Every structure is written in C-alpha cells, then in structure tokens.
Amino acid sequence: NAGVMQNPRHLVRRRGQEARLRCSPMKGHSHVYWYRQLPEEGLKFMVYLQKENIIDESGMPKERFSAEFPKEGPSILRIQQVVRGDSAAYFCASSPTYTGELFFGEGSRLTVL
Amino acid sequence: DQQVKQNSPSLSVQEGRISILNCDYTNSMFDYFLWYKKYPAEGPTFLISISSIKDKNEDGRFTVFLNKSAKHLSLHIVPSQPGDSAVYFCAAPFGGGAQKLVFGQGTRLTINP
C-alpha cells in the first residue's frame, strides 16, 4: 500500500516561470491537503480539497497560486510567475475521512533562482 | 499570528535519558493537539495526540502532557534512543473538524550516544 506520492521531489525554476507540483493520495483517501514549509518555520496550511472540489483555500496566497484535485489523476498545486519567496518545501497530505489522521508525502522542494 | 509556539529550536540529550519537548499555544478553543516527527527529506509522521479533556496520554516511550490553564503541552520521550533524532512539531486543528492544522516551528532533537 503505497503512501502519499509527490513529484517532483526537487524543482528548480527561474523567476517568472510556472511550477506544478503533483500529489497522489494514498489509496482510498479522498481528502487532500497542501502545506508549505518556509525555511526554519513550521508547516502552514494552504488548501483542502476533495475530488473535483476545493473545500477550503483560506491559506492560499490570493494571486498566482491555484490547486485542483480532478476526478481522475493527482492533485496539482500550480504556482504561476514564481518569485524567490516561493522557495519552500510543499507537502501534500491525505486522509480517508474528514477527521482522519493525516498521512504526509515526502514533499516537493521548490527553489526559485 | 503564531498560535502554536515551540520556543526551543534545538535540544540535545544523552541516549537513555529523558527528552522533554515543549509547546505553548494561545488559542483556548483548540480541542486536541498532535505531535509529529520529521526526518530530513521526509514528510512529517504522526506520533501521538491528546484531547483537551485529558491531561496525559501515553504510548510506549512517548507521553504527552497537557496543562490547559498554562496553555502548555510537552512531549516526553524516555528512554531516548538515537533513532529519535528528528525535528518534532506540535500542532492543533483549527477551523472545524477537518485536518487543517496549525504547526509550531519545530524543535530539532539530537540524541547523543
């Protein structure tokens, strides 16, 4: 039973480019969360999705960031026109239920040059 | 607004002794708390939790204590083992039952042989 799979593990982008981070939740999990960890900080909630629905995006920056979890395929966190401040580790987590335990992926580390 | 704070960025403990990691919170509405453990280049993994109706929860070598009047919780690891070397985060759910978590900044624990 594979865990939460994130790819790419490492991504380097130049300022102004787009970054796409993918997350496949654990089998049977329909609740997906994205968290961001800036250097020397704790993880910060960004967005909570279920299949085809964004449930709570209160932690997402208002511009340039978007997330989706389509009926088929992985959840995607998209960052347009990246800036240096977007450099961080982005963690995806999934759970089987609304209140179920979170299982985290290994993270995607974005570096913006 | 940092609702969950871990004021010690690092802690070094001798193998076999007790490790005590501390966490303070400001929001009296939190109704349970979690501890996560994180190794480098991996995602956080759930360690132990405690409901606000309890003051202690124990699981093997790990015990979490909650002092609601002081808005303080602590994680005790005894005896400490080299494999316990990791970053430990305390967290609390906010905004309803879903797993929207607010994390502390983390404490890096090093167990010395």
Side-chain angles (χ1 to χ4, degrees):
Chain A
N1 187 14
V4 176
M5 305 299 292
Q6 289 188 249
N7 68 83
R9 291 293 308 278
H10 300 274
L11 183 62
V12 179
R13 285 287 178 265
R14 297 190 181 279
R15 280 179 295 167
Q17 292 184 317
E18 178 179 290
R20 282 190 182 225
L21 309 176
R22 287 176 291 279
C23 169
S24 296
M26 287 182 71
K27 188 175 180 181
H29 289 196
S30 59
H31 302 255
V32 166
Y33 300 77
W34 285 92
Y35 284 79
R36 175 166 69 171
Q37 184 183 21
L38 295 170
E40 307 304 321
E41 294 188 14
L43 284 75
K44 286 187 167 48
F45 168 79
M46 299 181 75
V47 62
Y48 163 39
L49 311 104
Q50 292 182 34
K51 283 286 186 183
E52 298 185 276
N53 286 302
I54 298 173
I55 307 301
D56 185 332
E57 57 182 346
S58 58
M60 289 277 270
K62 294 290 183 275
E63 297 176 346
R64 302 186 297 108
F65 284 72
S66 62
E68 62 176 6
F69 189 16
K71 187 176 180 181
E72 301 291 337
S75 175
I76 295 174
L77 180 67
R78 182 184 179 202
I79 311 171
Q80 295 178 289
Q81 299 175 329
V82 297
V83 301
R84 289 216 173 104
D86 297 333
S87 295
Y90 292 83
F91 291 95
C92 172
S94 70
S95 70
T97 62
Y98 178 67
T99 57
E101 178 185 337
L102 281 183
F103 293 83
F104 282 86
E106 294 181 324
S108 291
R109 279 152 186 82
L110 173 65
T111 301
V112 180
L113 301 178
Chain B
D1 176 26
Q2 188 69 32
Q3 298 188 68
V4 178
K5 289 184 180 180
Q6 294 175 257
N7 292 316
S8 298
S10 62
L11 176 67
S12 186
V13 173
Q14 193 94 19
E15 181 179 358
R17 308 293 284 268
I18 184 171
S19 296
I20 301 176
L21 298 103
N22 294 304
C23 179
D24 297 299
Y25 62 96
T26 56
N27 189 341
S28 57
M29 299 300 290
F30 288 147
D31 56 9
Y32 80 95
F33 302 88
L34 309 93
W35 284 92
Y36 282 83
K37 176 179 179 179
K38 185 181 179 305
Y39 292 117
E42 294 186 11
T45 54
F46 170 74
L47 189 58
I48 191 169
S49 64
I50 186 166
S51 164
S52 61
I53 63 172
K54 294 187 173 183
D55 55 16
K56 177 182 174 181
N57 188 28
E58 190 172 352
D59 183 2
R61 297 187 296 113
F62 302 90
T63 304
V64 57
F65 295 92
L66 176 61
N67 182 334
K68 288 201 311 185
S69 61
K71 294 192 176 70
H72 177 84
L73 60 154
S74 60
L75 174 67
H76 293 213
I77 307 172
V78 59
S80 300
Q81 299 174 354
D84 297 329
S85 295
V87 178
Y88 290 79
F89 294 95
C90 63
F94 69 102
Q99 294 301 318
K100 280 173 58 174
L101 301 177
V102 56
F103 283 81
Q105 307 95 310
T107 297
R108 182 179 303 276
L109 175 65
T110 302
I111 305 302
N112 301 307

